[in-house]
Structure formats: C-alpha cells, structure tokens
Amino acid sequence: MEKVYARWGYGSARFLGQGMEGVVHRLPGGWVGKAWFERTPEQVQDLAVFYHELAEQDLPFATPRMVAVHEYRKQAVSIEQELAGTSLGALVEAARLSTAAAHRVVVQVVAALGRTTAGPATRALPVLGEKGALRWDGHTWGKDMAALVERRTTQFWAVLERAVPNLEEVVAAVLSLLAQVDSPSPEQVVHGDICPGNILVDGAGRPTAVLDRGFCTTAGDAAFDAATAAGFFDMYGPRAGEHDRALTGVMVDELGQDRERMLLYRAVYALVSANVYSPTGEDGHFAWCVATFERQDVRTLLGLG
C-alpha cells in the first residue's frame, strides 16, 4: 500500500493492523490511512460527515476525524488524524492496569456516549455491512431494530436454527419485546462495539480516544452500548462471566440502566451479529452469540423457562 499513499503525498506507510472493515497504516506526520474492504468512497464520505457530527458532541475523549477520502482502483482509502493513547486492551492483557480501573474506563466511555444527541448523519449510517441506513424516518428505535432482527435471522436462518434451540420462539419473543421499545428522547449516538481494543487511554488510565465507529454505529438507545460493552470486555477468557456480571451491575447501579432492557439488547445483538464474521457459523463470535440463549436470565426474559 506504500505506493498508494505516496500517490497522494503521504510518503511511506507502516502497517498497523487489519480489522473487520479494512487495513490500517500509520503515515508520516501524525496521519493514519485506512483502505476499506467493502465501503464505497461515497459510503466512506458519509462516515466522514458522521465523524464531523460526532466531534461536535463535546465528548471528554477524542474521536476519529477524516481529512480526506480517496479512491484507488475503485477502493476507498481514507486519511485520518492519528489519535493519542495506548490501547486499553493491550494494558489489560499485559496486566498493567487493574481490573477495577479498566472497568471504570469502559463505564466512563458508555456514560459519555449516553449524553450525546444523535443527528441526521448518525441516523443515515448502515450497520453490519448492510447497504442502506438502519434508521427510517417515522420509525421508532424498537421498530428499526426489530426489522434488523428479521432481516438477519431470515438470511441466516438455517445456520442459526441448528445452533439455537427453539429459534422460532426466541425470535418471536425478541420481536414482541422490541415492539414495546420506543425511541429515547433525544436519541443517542450508539457506538455498537465498545471493547477494550477500541479505547485508548493515557498514562493515568484515563480514556483519551474511542476508535472504530461505523461497523454497528447508529442513532438509538445508549443502553445498547451499556449492554454490549459489559459482554465485550472479555468475550472468551476464563473470567468472562465475572467481568460481564460486574460491569452489568455498574451500568444498572451507577448509570441507571434497566437490567431487562440490557438483556433484551444482548439477545438482539446475538441474533443480528452471529454470522457477521462467518456466514456458516464456524467461528468464536458465532459460538459467543449462541451462548447468549443458554443464559438463564436471557431465557427467563424471553419466556423460555
């Protein structure tokens, strides 16, 4: 990719990593370049408009800002300012930050996003690689999320049915509960993927930036981030359940989130994202999502005993 970036005068590029949506390189002068896998230049430009809208939210941490969107052989390439800080995930993995301190960072990020007000650029974003925006004018948050559940489960029904017992009853119960969910006023900016790897912190363990918006970002209920962040902190480790319970408790006790609403959103996320990495359900993320419906608290909420 070095020749690609050099074409626009950004000099040499150093590989930083690869995510779900693209390959990221560090460029000279404090810039970061991202070559997008699926998004068109027009879609990336829409994301750039969203970034600008987000920057006006007066958040206590930095967020991405695109300064240019280019096209190279029909592939979108964006240039962003590099954000300062160290990955919270790396610090947790290296045991350089206590569990309590790391939990506090996640809660601070969720709380800050809960004070945002989503605008038209946020509402216009697609999620999970879909072509059109998730949100529709005149629709409630619950109605649009129900439509997403219906689309995703229909698309992957055969795979999900083999792994989730009584899938028809599960989906029906989730849709019934979503029908009772109205839109918050105002709607908040929902990140959709608040995990330690997407949070940067300073030397004192304070959040300096939040990354990777766009994969599941939309306008809606901040409780969705509270619910999913609790589960994302440690998805596969031996203490995953412990972290999940502790963070869920803090979200309820300190942020005033409703526990049952959070459980509903965990079920929603499990259904809509189960096949996002593997259409055939042959990866750890699929197994993690399926395990959601083995939880007694989720089963009780859905009336499954």
Side-chain angles (χ1 to χ4, degrees), residues 46-130:
D46 288 342
L47 191 59
V49 176
F50 159 71
Y51 282 166
H52 179 75
E53 185 175 276
L54 182 66
E56 297 180 336
Q57 295 289 327
D58 194 29
L59 289 164
F61 43 76
T63 53
R65 291 290 300 271
M66 288 186 192
V67 296
V69 177
H70 302 294
E71 183 176 358
Y72 178 75
R73 295 180 179 176
K74 298 184 178 180
Q75 183 179 22
V77 179
S78 63
I79 308 300
E80 304 177 12
Q81 294 176 325
E82 185 171 11
L83 299 175
T86 302
S87 165
L88 177 63
L91 293 180
V92 170
E93 186 175 349
R96 292 171 54 195
L97 198 65
S98 71
T99 296
H103 283 187
R104 178 55 50 193
V105 170
V106 172
V107 173
Q108 289 172 344
V109 169
V110 171
L113 289 169
R115 296 189 291 269
T116 59
T117 298
T122 312
R123 289 184 61 86
L125 292 175
V127 298
L128 301 175
E130 293 196 329

Side-chain angles (χ1 to χ4, degrees), residues 157-165 167 281 286 290-291 293-294:
W157 189 271
V159 177
L160 288 166
E161 190 176 33
R162 289 195 294 268
V164 181
L167 179 62
F286 180 85
V290 166
F293 302 103
E294 299 170 2

